């Protein structure tokens, strides 16, 4: 709706300017106050935020600059909730199994916003090879991060508004969660085993974040801010040991705004600076899933598809199997989803899709909150295999338990993992 309003206002302002240029000085003097009011109103509409924005108290403005480093040198109308007088010890969405997800045909998915996506200026490259060896908790592979196994888990809230594609260093996250934020999705990208400097664009925190990442142990959570309820909740979650907050005020100089995108889609940060500032307060991650060869059994395979399409809110993406890299390659906005600075396409060894509900957040009822405890249907692609089953998670401290239709635990093949939380069944081909 905002985009249509922007277009209408833009066209109207253009026609108004053409009419003004043809007027006499006497006519201009009479109409000048009306023209000024119309122009100011138009500018305010054109500066309206994207569909993934609710009211937040983001950090103070950061100076703009170009991104000059990636990994080099690194081994409907609703009322807003007021801030709570006291934040519950743990904010979760549900503790019981959620209702079955709805078939794709019954859920209207908005048109793909490929026309908003940023330009792809680099050739598309296959996924970057991952370090071999053992045993990073989130991938069961080796390390190339300077901190090694002792390094902290760093979870970053990354925007997935069309305007931010392509991303920076999203492809190097060990574990990528995708969940709804209003109409479009956002990522929680968890970094541990890989070297990665600049990451982003970074967006605000939501009430769904702490319950999802608590099972990591005590990760650092990097986000741009939040409304009063969210900020109070994040402070409480740091106090109880769930997470370590990383905002601009925690590591001044380690965040910046790029000059090639408009606010709020241009907020980035340096992971080494975050770790230097508060890394000692966070912990290495716990294993979140079972891996083949790490104490898990044999999967009951349901098939070997070549493509899986995922809708999370109005964000549409799909994963295509690639025999060469032995990975699932990500596509969105009708094109490969690549890294902004290198052209590497995002690839995952395992694509895990969890059916869940999205009740309104207590912070703002326009903001849906992913139910990450309880259970539901699961569609698991790991390596070439597809396994259908269920997921369960008793509480936020618990890791993800995946079980196939025969009742056996599902074990993932070693490699980077994607977990999508959706209320729409994926299309598996």
């Amino acid at each position: 709706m905002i985009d249509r309003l922007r277009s209408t206002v833009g066209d109207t302002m253009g026609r108004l300017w053409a009419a003004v240029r043809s007027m006499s000085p006497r006519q201009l003097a009479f109409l000048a106050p009306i023209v000024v009011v119309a122009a100011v109103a138009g500018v305010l509409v054109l500066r309206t935020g994207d569909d993934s924005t609710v009211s937040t108290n983001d950090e103070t403005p950061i100076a703009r600059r170009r991104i000059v480093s990636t990994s080099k040198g690194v081994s409907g109308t609703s009322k807003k909730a007021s801030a709570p007088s006291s934040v519950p010890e743990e904010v979760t969405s549900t503790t019981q199994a959620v209702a079955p997800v709805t078939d794709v045909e019954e859920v209207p998915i908005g048109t793909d916003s490929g026309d908003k996506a940023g330009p792809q200026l680099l050739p598309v490259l296959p996924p970057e090879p991952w370090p071999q060896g053992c045993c990073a908790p989130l991938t069961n592979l080796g390390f190339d991060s300077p901190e090694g196994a002792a390094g902290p888990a760093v979870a970053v809230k990354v925007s997935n508004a069309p305007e931010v594609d392509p991303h920076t260093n999203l492809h190097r996250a060990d574990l990528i969660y995708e969940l709804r934020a209003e109409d479009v999705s956002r990522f929680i990208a968890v970094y541990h085993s890989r070297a990665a400097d600049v990451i982003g664009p970074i967006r605000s925190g939501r009430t769904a974040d702490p319950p999802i990442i608590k099972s990591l142990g005590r990760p650092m959570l990097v986000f741009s801010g939040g409304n009063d309820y969210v900020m109070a909740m994040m402070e409480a979650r740091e106090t109880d040991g769930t997470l370590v907050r990383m905002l601009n005020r925690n590591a001044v100089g380690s965040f910046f705004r790029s000059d090639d995108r408009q606010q709020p889609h241009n907020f980035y940060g340096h992971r080494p600076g975050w770790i230097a500032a508060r890394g000692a307060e966070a912990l290495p991650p716990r294993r979140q899933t079972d891996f083949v060869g790490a104490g898990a059994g044999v999967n009951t395979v349901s098939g070997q598809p070549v493509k899986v399409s995922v809708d999370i809110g109005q964000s549409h993406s799909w994963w295509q199997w690639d025999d060469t890299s032995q990975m699932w390659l990500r596509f969105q906005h009708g094109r490969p989803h690549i890294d902004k600075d290198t052209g590497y396409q995002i690839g995952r060894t395992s694509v895990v899709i969890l059916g869940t509900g999205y009740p309104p957040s207590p912070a703002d009822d326009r903001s849906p909150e992913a139910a990450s405890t309880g259970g539901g249907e699961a569609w698991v692609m790991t390596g070439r295999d597809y396994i259908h089953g269920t997921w369960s998670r008793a509480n936020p401290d618990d890791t993800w338990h995946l079980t196939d239709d025969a009742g056996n635990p599902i074990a993932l093949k070693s490699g980077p993992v994607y977990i999508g939380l959706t209320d729409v069944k994926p299309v598996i081909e």
Side-chain angles (χ1 to χ4, degrees), residues 148-173:
V154 178
V156 186
K157 284 303 298 291
V158 178
S159 173
N160 195 31
E163 295 87 344
V164 309
D165 186 2
H167 296 82
T168 298
N169 271 327
L170 182 61
H171 69 300
R172 286 197 164 198

Side-chain angles (χ1 to χ4, degrees), residues 287-372:
R287 191 181 297 276
Q288 298 298 289
T289 58
D290 291 327
F291 288 101
V292 174
V298 178
N299 296 325
T300 302
V301 177
S302 303
Q304 291 191 323
V306 296
K307 179 181 178 181
V308 54
S309 299
V310 184
D311 290 298
I312 297 181
Q314 293 185 4
S315 295
H316 174 74
S317 64
W318 71 93
W319 299 85
Q320 192 92 27
W321 176 253
D322 177 53
D323 278 327
T324 302
S325 64
Q326 292 290 291
M327 280 189 165
W328 292 90
L329 309 184
R330 183 177 167 91
F331 296 78
Q332 64 177 15
H333 307 130
R335 67 192 192 186
H337 190 178
I338 67 169
D339 179 64
K340 182 175 184 288
D341 299 311
T342 63
Y344 285 124
Q345 188 166 3
I346 293 177
R348 303 279 102 174
T349 303
S350 297
V351 172
V352 180
I353 304 163
L354 307 179
T356 193
Y358 275 91
S361 167
D364 190 318
D365 57 12
R366 295 169 295 176
S367 179
E369 179 178 305
S372 58

Side-chain angles (χ1 to χ4, degrees), residues 167-216:
H167 296 82
T168 298
N169 271 327
L170 182 61
H171 69 300
R172 286 197 164 198
D174 293 35
L175 172 60
I176 299 174
Y177 289 104
E178 186 176 9
L179 55 157
R180 283 178 56 193
E182 290 73 69
D183 293 335
V184 299
S185 68
R186 287 187 187 173
F187 301 112
I188 303 176
V190 185
Y191 297 83
H192 180 235
S193 71
R194 300 299 312 272
D197 181 356
V198 174
I199 297 170
I202 302 166
R203 287 302 303 269
S204 58
R206 297 297 169 91
T207 55
D209 303 337
I212 289 176
I213 67 172
K214 185 173 184 179
S215 58
L216 288 166

